C-alpha cells in the first residue's frame, strides 16, 4: 500500500549525511544526487526516462519506475539497488532485494545500513573491515613491489643471458661448420680405404677360391689321417698312464726298490702337474669299446665341420700336428718310465710292479701291430704327398687369412709383402674409422647444441621480455601429503606418489594461455579418462613458488604459483634496469635472427 503522509514517506536522510548542505536520500549513490532534485513542478523523472512521478513518491516503498530508480532506499523494486556509504571502508552497492531482509550483508554493507528497518541490528564494522582491507592492500602492494623488482631482475638476467647464449650459438655454429668440413674429409678418406679393403678382400677371396680348388681335398685327407692316428696314440698314452698309476698306487713301499722308487717319483711329478691326464685315462678304461667308438666318430664328425673351408681345415691340421707331437712326447716319456721298471729287484715279489712289467710286454706287442697298421694306412694314402700339399697351402692361406698374429710371419718375400700389406691396410681402415667416428660424435654433439640453442633463442616464447630465460626448465615442487607435484617452467610437469615414488606425467609445456598461464598437455592417459594436463596460473610476488594444486576435473589439474611473471613492469617512459635503459612495451618480444 502506498503511504500517503509525508511523515510516513521513506524520504529520509542518510544518517545526517549532506551533500552541499542538502540531505541525501537513504540508499542513494551520492554521484546520482543531482538526478534526484525535484523539478519546478515537484516531479521526479525516472532515470530511464520512461515516466515522471510526484517527487513525494520517491522512497515510498512502492515501485513506480520500471528501472527501480524511484526506490534507492527500499526493497520495493526487484531491480533496484541500495548504496552503502561504508565510511572508513569502500562504498558498496547492494541488490534492493537484500535490503531489510534480516541478514547483515557485511561483504557489501559493512556499516549495516541495509538493515535500517529490520528486526535485527547490524553494528557498523567498517573500521575493522576497512583496516583489514588496507592491511591486505599493503601486503599486496609490497608483494607487487617485490614482484616488480624481481621481474626487473629477471628481465636484466634474460637480456644478458640472451647476449651470452647468442654469442655461444654463433661460436657453436662456426665450430660446427668447421667440424662438418672435417667430417666430409674423414668420411671420404674412410670410404676410400674401405673400398681399397673391399677390393683387396675380393682379390683375396678369388685367390682363396683358387687355393681351395687346388688344396682343400688333400688337406682334408691329411687331417683325417692325423685324426685316425691321434685316436690310436691317445689310447696308447692312456694305457701307459693307467699302468704307471697302478704301480704308484699299488707298489710295496717297504721293499725300497730304487728302480721302482725312481719311476714312482718321476711319474708322481708328471701326474701332479697334469692331473687331468689321469682323469682322461680312467675315463678311457671305464669306457666300453662301443661307447669309445661312438665318441671317436663324434669327434670326427665335429672335425668335418671344418672341412668345407680351407682356412679352417689348415687350422685344424695345425692343431692336430701340435697335439701329435705332444702325444708322441708323452708316450716317449711314459714308455721310458715303464721300461725302467724292468730293472726292478726280482727278489722282491711286488705284484703291482710284476703285473705292470707283464702288461708292458703285451702293450708293446699291441702297439707295434697298431703302429704298423697306421704306417700301412699312411702309405696307402700317400701321406707324404698329402703333407707336402698341406705345407704348400699353409703359408699361402696364412698370408691371406692368418689364424693369429704369429701366422703373419711370412715364409718368403712374396708372402711377407702380402701379410704386411693386409695388416697395414686393416690398421689404416681401423684408424680411419676411429677418426671418422670421433669427428662424427663431435658433429652430432655440436648439431644438438646448435639446435637446442637455436630453438631456445629463436623459437621459444620466453615471455615478452625474456623473463623466463634465466629460469627455463627450473623445477618447483609442492608436497600435498599423498602426492608431490613438480612443475618445471616451460618444460614438463609431474605428479609423484609419496609412498612409492611412482611418477605420472602431467604433460609437457605447449603454450601460454590466457593471462600468460602455462599450459602443460599430452600427459599420461588417465584410466577411463583423458590424458593428464595441468594449467599453471601466476600471482604476482617476489619469490617463485608452487603454492596450490587442485583437480577440478578428472585428471585435469590447476596449479597456482607465485612469482614475478604476473607482475607489471612500469609502462611510462623507460625503466632503468642494472644501469641500462630498456623500453617496455606490451607487444610480444621479437627476436633478431641470430
Amino acid at each position: 500500500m502506498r503511504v500517503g503522509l509525508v511523515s510516513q514517506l521513506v524520504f529520509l536522510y542518510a544518517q545526517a549525511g549532506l551533500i552541499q548542505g542538502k540531505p541525501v536520500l537513504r540508499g542513494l549513490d551520492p554521484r546520482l544526487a543531482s538526478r534526484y532534485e525535484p523539478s519546478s513542478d515537484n516531479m521526479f523523472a525516472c532515470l530511464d526516462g520512461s515516466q515522471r512521478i510526484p517527487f513525494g513518491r520517491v522512497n515510498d516503498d512502492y515501485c513506480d519506475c520500471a528501472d527501480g530508480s524511484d526506490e534507492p532506499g527500499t526493497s520495493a523494486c526487484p531491480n533496484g539497488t541500495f548504496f552503502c556509504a561504508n565510511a572508513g571502508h569502500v562504498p558498496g552497492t547492494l541488490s534492493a532485494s537484500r535490503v531489510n531482509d534480516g541478514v547483515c550483508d557485511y561483504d557489501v554493507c559493512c556499516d549495516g545500513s541495509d538493515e535500517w528497518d529490520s528486526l535485527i541490528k547490524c553494528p557498523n564494522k567498517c573500521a575493522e573491515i576497512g583496516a583489514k582491507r588496507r592491511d591486505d592492500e599493503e601486503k599486496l602492494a609490497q608483494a607487487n613491489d617485490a614482484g616488480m623488482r624481481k621481474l626487473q631482475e629477471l628481465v636484466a638476467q634474460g637480456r644478458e643471458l640472451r647476449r651470452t647464449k647468442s654469442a655461444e650459438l654463433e661460436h657453436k655454429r662456426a665450430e660446427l661448420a668447421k667440424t662438418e668440413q672435417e667430417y666430409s674429409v674423414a668420411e671420404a678418406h674412410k670410404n676410400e680405404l674401405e673400398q681399397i679393403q673391399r677390393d683387396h678382400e675380393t682379390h683375396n677371396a678369388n685367390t682363396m677360391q683358387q687355393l681351395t680348388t687346388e688344396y682343400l681335398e688333400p688337406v682334408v685327407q691329411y687331417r683325417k689321417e692325423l685324426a685316425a692316428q691321434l685316436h690310436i696314440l691317445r689310447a696308447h698314452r692312456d694305457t701307459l698312464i693307467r699302468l704307471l698309476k697302478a704301480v704308484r698306487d699299488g707298489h710295496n713301499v717297504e721293499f725300497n726298490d730304487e728302480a721302482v722308487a725312481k719311476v714312482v717319483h718321476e711319474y708322481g711329478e708328471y701326474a701332479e702337474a697334469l692331473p687331468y691326464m689321469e682323469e682322461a685315462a680312467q675315463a678311457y678304461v671305464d669306457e666300453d669299446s662301443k661307447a669309445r667308438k661312438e665318441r671317436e666318430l663324434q669327434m670326427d664328425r665335429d672335425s668335418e665341420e671344418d672341412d668345407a673351408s680351407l682356412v679352417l681345415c689348415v687350422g685344424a691340421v695345425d692343431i692336430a700336428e701340435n697335439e701329435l707331437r705332444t702325444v708322441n712326447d708323452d708316450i716317449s716319456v711314459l714308455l721310458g718310465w715303464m721300461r725302467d721298471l724292468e730293472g726292478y729287484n726280482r727278489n722282491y715279489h711286488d705284484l703291482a710292479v710284476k703285473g705292470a712289467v707283464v702288461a708292458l710286454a703285451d702293450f708293446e706287442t699291441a702297439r707295434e701291430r697298431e703302429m704298423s697298421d697306421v704306417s700301412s694306412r699312411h702309405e696307402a694314402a700317400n701321406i707324404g704327398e698329402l703333407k707336402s700339399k698341406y705345407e704348400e697351402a699353409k703359408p699361402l692361406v696364412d698370408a691371406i687369412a692368418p689364424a693369429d698374429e704369429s701366422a703373419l710371419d711370412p715364409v718368403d718375400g712374396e708372402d711377407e709383402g702380402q701379410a704386411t700389406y693386409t695388416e697395414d691396410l686393416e690398421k689404416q681402415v681401423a684408424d680411419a674409422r676411429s677418426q671418422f667416428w670421433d669427428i662424427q660424435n663431435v658433429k652430432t654433439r655440436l648439431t644438438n647444441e646448435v639446435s637446442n640453442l637455436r630453438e631456445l633463442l629463436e623459437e621459444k616464447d620466453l615471455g615478452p621480455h625474456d623473463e623466463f630465460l634465466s629460469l627455463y626448465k627450473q623445477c618447483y615442487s609442492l608436497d600435498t601429503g599423498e602426492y608431490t607435484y613438480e612443475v618445471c617452467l616451460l618444460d614438463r610437469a609431474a605428479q609423484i606418489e609419496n609412498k612409492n615414488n611412482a611418477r605420472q606425467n602431467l604433460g609437457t609445456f605447449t603454450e601460454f594461455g590466457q593471462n600468460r598461464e602455462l599450459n602443460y598437455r599430452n600427459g599420461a592417459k588417465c584410466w577411463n579418462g583423458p590424458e593428464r594436463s595441468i594449467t599453471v596460473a601466476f600471482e604476482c610476488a617476489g619469490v617463485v613458488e608452487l603454492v596450490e594444486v587442485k583437480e577440478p576435473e578428472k585428471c585435469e589439474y590447476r596449479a597456482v604459483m607465485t612469482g614475478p611473471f604476473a607482475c607489471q613492469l612500469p609502462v611510462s617512459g623507460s625503466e632503468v634496469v642494472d644501469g641500462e635503459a630498456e623500453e617496455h612495451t606490451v607487444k610480444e618480444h621479437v627476436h633478431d635472427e641470430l
Side-chain angles (χ1 to χ4, degrees):
M1 172 181 292
R2 182 183 302 240
V3 180
L5 299 175
V6 174
S7 60
Q8 293 175 315
L9 294 176
V10 193
F11 184 51
L12 303 172
Y13 302 110
Q15 298 182 356
L18 300 174
I19 296 179
Q20 296 181 346
K22 298 179 180 180
V24 180
L25 285 171
R26 184 187 297 278
L28 177 64
D29 186 339
R31 292 171 296 181
L32 299 176
S34 63
R35 304 284 298 275
Y36 283 80
E37 294 284 346
S39 64
S40 59
D41 55 354
N42 203 32
M43 298 293 284
F44 171 76
C46 297
L47 297 186
D48 62 359
S50 60
Q51 63 174 315
R52 299 174 74 241
I53 62 173
F55 197 80
R57 288 160 62 178
V58 175
N59 263 355
D60 66 347
D61 203 23
Y62 186 88
C63 192
D64 296 291
C65 295
D67 63 357
S69 57
D70 64 310
E71 297 297 321
T74 75
S75 59
C77 296
N79 58 342
T81 57
F82 181 89
F83 178 80
C84 306
N86 294 340
H89 188 37
V90 294
T93 301
L94 190 70
S95 173
S97 62
R98 295 170 65 181
V99 176
N100 292 325
D101 62 350
V103 177
C104 297
D105 297 300
Y106 285 123
D107 58 328
V108 180
C109 290
C110 63
D111 58 5
S113 60
D114 60 310
E115 299 300 317
W116 57 270
D117 191 23
S118 173
L119 295 178
I120 67 167
K121 297 298 181 183
C122 298
N124 189 331
K125 293 187 177 181
C126 285
E128 175 187 346
I129 294 175
K132 183 178 184 305
R133 174 179 173 275
R134 287 187 292 276
D135 183 58
D136 290 343
E137 289 178 343
E138 177 63 22
K139 290 179 179 177
L140 180 61
Q142 291 175 356
N144 286 337
D145 184 59
M148 184 186 69
R149 291 196 302 272
K150 182 64 175 178
L151 182 58
Q152 290 175 316
E153 178 185 327
L154 291 181
V155 168
Q157 290 174 353
R159 182 175 58 247
E160 182 58 33
L161 195 55
R162 176 170 288 276
R163 290 189 188 125
T164 301
K165 288 192 173 293
S166 295
E168 181 183 358
L169 176 59
E170 289 306 311
H171 174 73
K172 295 289 186 184
R173 279 174 166 163
E175 193 175 356
L176 176 59
K178 177 183 176 183
T179 302
E180 285 175 337
Q181 293 179 349
E182 295 174 352
Y183 174 85
S184 298
V185 172
E187 184 179 33
H189 181 57
K190 175 184 75 73
N191 291 344
E192 180 184 6
L193 286 175
E194 286 176 340
Q195 184 59 51
I196 293 173
Q197 186 181 46
R198 283 192 294 271
D199 293 343
H200 181 62
E201 289 172 350
T202 300
H203 171 75
N204 285 347
N206 293 335
T207 302
M208 183 61 71
Q209 184 60 46
Q210 295 172 4
L211 293 176
T212 298
T213 301
E214 181 177 357
Y215 291 106
L216 180 59
E217 184 177 350
V219 172
V220 167
Q221 188 60 39
Y222 182 52
R223 182 199 64 73
K224 289 181 178 180
E225 292 299 323
L226 294 181
Q229 185 178 358
L230 274 171
H231 287 321
I232 295 171
L233 292 178
R234 291 189 194 107
H236 291 174
R237 180 176 61 186
D238 290 342
T239 299
L240 291 171
I241 288 174
R242 181 173 57 83
L243 292 175
L244 286 165
K245 180 178 182 299
V247 171
R248 182 197 64 190
D249 296 342
H251 78 287
N252 194 327
V253 180
E254 295 180 357
F255 290 154
N256 197 22
D257 190 317
E258 291 184 4
V260 174
K262 179 176 180 296
V263 169
V264 167
H265 173 72
E266 291 177 351
Y267 171 74
E269 290 182 340
Y270 172 86
E272 184 177 356
L274 305 170
Y276 55 87
M277 288 294 195
E278 286 190 350
E279 295 174 5
Q282 187 60 44
Y284 176 79
V285 172
D286 294 341
E287 192 176 42
D288 60 39
S289 59
K290 182 179 179 181
R292 183 180 306 118
K293 184 65 175 177
E294 179 58 33
R295 176 176 57 80
E296 291 175 351
L297 286 174
Q298 185 59 49
M299 292 175 66
D300 290 339
R301 284 193 291 269
D302 291 343
S303 298
E304 286 172 359
E305 294 179 1
D306 297 338
D307 291 348
S309 165
L310 181 60
V311 175
L312 296 179
C313 195
V314 166
V317 170
D318 192 38
I319 293 172
E321 285 192 333
N322 287 333
E323 185 180 1
L324 197 62
R325 285 190 290 270
T326 300
V327 173
N328 278 323
D329 289 344
D330 287 342
I331 290 174
S332 178
V333 172
L334 296 170
L335 191 57
W337 287 331
M338 286 297 298
R339 287 171 179 165
D340 288 345
L341 284 177
E342 292 178 326
Y344 79 99
N345 190 334
R346 283 171 170 70
N347 293 323
Y348 299 141
H349 299 287
D350 195 324
L351 297 180
V353 176
K354 287 182 178 181
V357 171
V358 172
L360 174 62
D362 294 338
F363 166 78
E364 291 196 293
T365 299
R367 173 176 164 78
E368 184 177 353
R369 183 180 65 254
E370 290 174 352
M371 294 309 296
S372 175
D373 291 343
V374 168
S375 297
S376 298
R377 174 171 173 160
H378 283 175
E379 185 176 352
N382 198 357
I383 191 73
E385 180 64 23
L386 297 178
K387 181 177 176 62
S388 176
K389 284 291 186 181
Y390 161 73
E391 290 175 345
E392 287 178 17
K394 187 178 187 311
L396 299 175
V397 170
D398 286 348
I400 297 174
D404 52 40
E405 293 183 1
S406 63
L408 288 173
D409 296 336
V411 295
D412 55 45
E414 181 180 359
D415 293 337
E416 178 180 4
Q418 175 75 3
T420 301
Y421 178 78
T422 300
E423 185 182 26
D424 288 348
L425 181 58
E426 288 178 351
K427 184 177 184 307
Q428 289 179 45
V429 170
D431 290 345
R433 285 173 177 165
S434 178
Q435 183 182 26
F436 169 75
W437 291 331
D438 288 344
I439 296 175
Q440 185 180 55
N441 289 337
V442 174
K443 176 177 173 289
T444 300
R445 174 179 59 80
L446 288 172
T447 299
N448 291 336
E449 290 175 353
V450 168
S451 176
N452 292 338
L453 282 170
R454 184 189 57 77
E455 180 184 5
L456 177 65
L457 298 176
E458 299 176 4
E459 297 180 11
K460 285 285 184 184
D461 184 351
L462 299 167
H465 307 284
D466 280 344
E467 57 267 27
F468 281 97
L469 182 55
S470 62
L471 297 181
Y472 178 57
K473 291 188 177 183
Q474 188 159 326
C475 300
Y476 301 88
S477 61
L478 174 66
D479 188 341
T480 62
E482 184 177 1
Y483 299 104
T484 291
Y485 291 89
E486 183 180 72
V487 173
C488 301
L489 297 180
L490 308 189
D491 186 26
R492 57 182 174 78
Q495 178 195 65
I496 306 164
E497 194 168 353
N498 287 334
K499 67 179 181 180
N500 58 15
N501 208 37
R503 296 178 69 92
Q504 288 287 355
N505 176 18
L506 298 186
T508 54
F509 176 73
T510 56
E511 62 185 354
F512 285 97
Q514 294 182 347
N515 301 318
R516 303 297 289 175
E517 293 177 339
L518 306 184
N519 291 329
Y520 295 77
R521 300 292 182 262
N522 306 317
K525 190 163 189 326
C526 250
W527 182 82
N528 200 25
E531 291 180 338
R532 289 175 170 83
S533 63
I534 187 170
T535 298
V536 181
F538 285 100
E539 293 179 352
C540 181
V543 178
V544 182
E545 287 183 295
L546 180 60
V547 296
E548 181 181 270
V549 178
K550 293 182 178 180
E551 188 180 3
E553 300 290 340
K554 183 176 182 179
C555 297
E556 295 180 3
Y557 302 84
R558 289 196 65 83
V560 176
M561 292 185 71
T562 61
F565 310 111
C567 305
Q568 296 294 325
L569 287 170
V571 294
S572 59
S574 298
E575 182 66 23
V576 178
V577 182
D578 288 348
E580 296 186 25
E582 178 181 12
E583 193 71 25
H584 299 295
T585 64
V586 295
K587 65 181 180 180
E588 291 293 320
H589 185 85
V590 179
H591 303 308
D592 294 332
E593 287 298 317
L594 297 176

